[in-house]
Amino acid sequence: MQIVTTLAELATAREALAAPVGLVPTMGYLHKGHLSLVRRARDECATVAASIFVNPTQFGPSEDLSSYPRNLDGDLGAFEAAGVDLVWTPTPEVMYPPGFQTWVTVEEVTKRLEGERRPGHFRGVATVVAKLFNGVRPQRAYFGQKDAQQVVVIRQMARDLSYPIEIVVCPTVREADGLAMSSRNAYLSPQEREAATVLYRGLAAARAAFDAGECDAEKLRQIVADRVAGEPLARLDYVSCAHPDTLEELGRGSPTRFSGALLSLAAWVGNTRLIDNVVLEEERVRDPRP
Ligand code: PAF
């Protein structure tokens, strides 16, 4: 496994890579979710490239950039064991040289949900992912469904900026009790870790109601909110039942056929903000619009 840092090193290494190249972008502190992306890339591509970069521009001023968990040696070992061929570990100066002033802004789909609550977050994500794409020039790039809005934003960006890259989305990997794997789970105390299962329990309860015929988006949101309200250590930030591509909120109204809905939430568990989602794969969700 080759490890490169500078753009010059990356360019030289890139020349020798067999196509198709699959890219797994990460911020490190790897868990089984990341490694499932590597496995999928390994299955589908001649070469697997990965990146490790804690991207400062996607953190807000009051967010956890300085405390974000890091474990470079462990991550490199895990990538090597998983069969990664090339790892790019740029420094902040490589990604954002002095005088940096060019940004990628995806407009509509960043206005809601995470984008509304974390101003500038998706500008940072889209910009760094564009730079990762430019540096590695993969044929495919792998992302987890756990960050559902990120996937929508990156798909939109890849389409709008004509990147010849297939965006591959892999299922959320969960702990045995349902908690979605996340590097931020490391922040949770044992009691908070237990309480954090309420996110998925809420989503699963709403999905069960949906599967049993409940097609009122507001009722589905309420089921999630009620569950989270029942956990004293958790505080709901938002729950959304939205169109999976536009992320527009669905509501009461005349039934309209849909290809699916994204049921997502963010909640604080102690001082840790967690997100999770499930996709409701059905046409029964009602559209608020006439
Ligand atoms: O999902 C992540 O870990 C990050 O947002 C990404 C895509 C690596 C960009 O920094």
Side-chain angles (χ1 to χ4, degrees):
M1 183 175 82
Q2 206 178 345
I3 302 165
V4 296
T5 299
T6 66
L7 286 166
E9 288 166 349
L10 176 64
T12 306
R14 175 66 184 84
E15 290 307 309
L17 300 183
V21 175
L23 172 65
V24 179
T26 81
M27 298 207 300
Y29 210 72
L30 303 178
H31 51 66
K32 287 183 190 155
H34 297 111
L35 297 176
S36 77
L37 306 180
V38 173
R39 252 196 321 278
R40 177 83 174 267
R42 193 66 283 163
D43 285 349
E44 296 179 352
C45 304
T47 304
V48 180
S51 60
I52 301 174
F53 180 61
V54 180
N55 175 33
T57 66
Q58 68 188 74
F59 289 78
S62 61
E63 292 183 1
D64 55 344
L65 173 61
S66 59
S67 59
Y68 196 81
R70 291 161 211 247
N71 177 15
L72 185 59
D73 289 346
D75 291 345
L76 293 173
F79 272 152
E80 173 126 56
V84 171
D85 301 292
L86 174 71
V87 184
W88 185 21
T89 56
T91 60
E93 294 70 31
V94 167
M95 273 302 182
Y96 301 106
F100 183 90
Q101 54 182 295
T102 304
W103 299 95
V104 177
T105 308
V106 179
E107 306 238 328
E108 288 306 315
V109 294
T110 62
K111 286 184 178 157
R112 294 170 253 282
L113 308 178
E114 292 299 292
E116 190 179 340
R117 283 140 187 108
R118 303 182 65 191
H121 170 67
F122 286 118
R123 182 180 83 148
V125 169
T127 302
V128 84
V129 170
K131 291 179 67 90
L132 293 167
F133 285 0
N134 294 341
V136 176
R137 290 182 287 115
Q139 277 75 34
R140 301 196 180 101
Y142 294 81
F143 297 89
Q145 173 61 26
K146 154 87 177 2
D147 295 305
Q149 189 173 13
Q150 172 169 280
V151 166
V152 171
V153 170
I154 290 168
R155 275 221 174 99
Q156 187 72 45
M157 178 195 77
R159 205 164 40 234
D160 291 350
L161 297 185
S162 313
Y163 279 107
I165 299 173
E166 184 190 342
I167 306 301
V168 183
V169 182
C170 302
T172 302
V173 178
R174 298 182 180 281
E175 304 283 359
D177 60 10
L179 179 67
M181 299 237 177
S182 164
S183 306
R184 290 190 168 100
N185 293 348
Y187 298 143
L188 301 170
S189 71
Q191 294 90 330
E192 289 167 350
R193 168 66 188 78
E194 181 68 34
T197 60
V198 78
L199 276 73
Y200 184 63
R201 284 188 278 117
L203 292 170
R207 184 168 57 192
F210 178 78
D211 289 344
E214 180 56 75
C215 54
D216 182 326
E218 185 52 32
K219 290 206 176 112
L220 295 172
R221 285 189 286 265
Q222 198 55 53
I223 290 170
V224 178
D226 288 347
R227 285 294 170 115
V228 177
E231 171 48 67
L233 292 183
R235 183 166 52 84
L236 189 66
D237 186 351
Y238 66 83
V239 54
S240 158
C241 183
H243 187 284
D245 300 324
T246 65
L247 303 181
E248 276 170 34
E249 217 48 52
L250 308 179
R252 293 169 199 274
S254 51
T256 305
R257 292 183 83 74
F258 253 90
S259 57
L262 176 69
L263 187 64
S264 66
L265 83 165
W268 291 92
V269 181
N271 291 325
T272 304
R273 187 172 180 279
L274 299 175
I275 59 172
D276 199 355
N277 69 86
V278 293
V279 176
L280 303 178
E281 308 270 12
E282 254 271 10
E283 291 97 356
R284 280 178 286 127
V285 173
R286 289 166 191 247
D287 182 358
R289 292 161 296 190

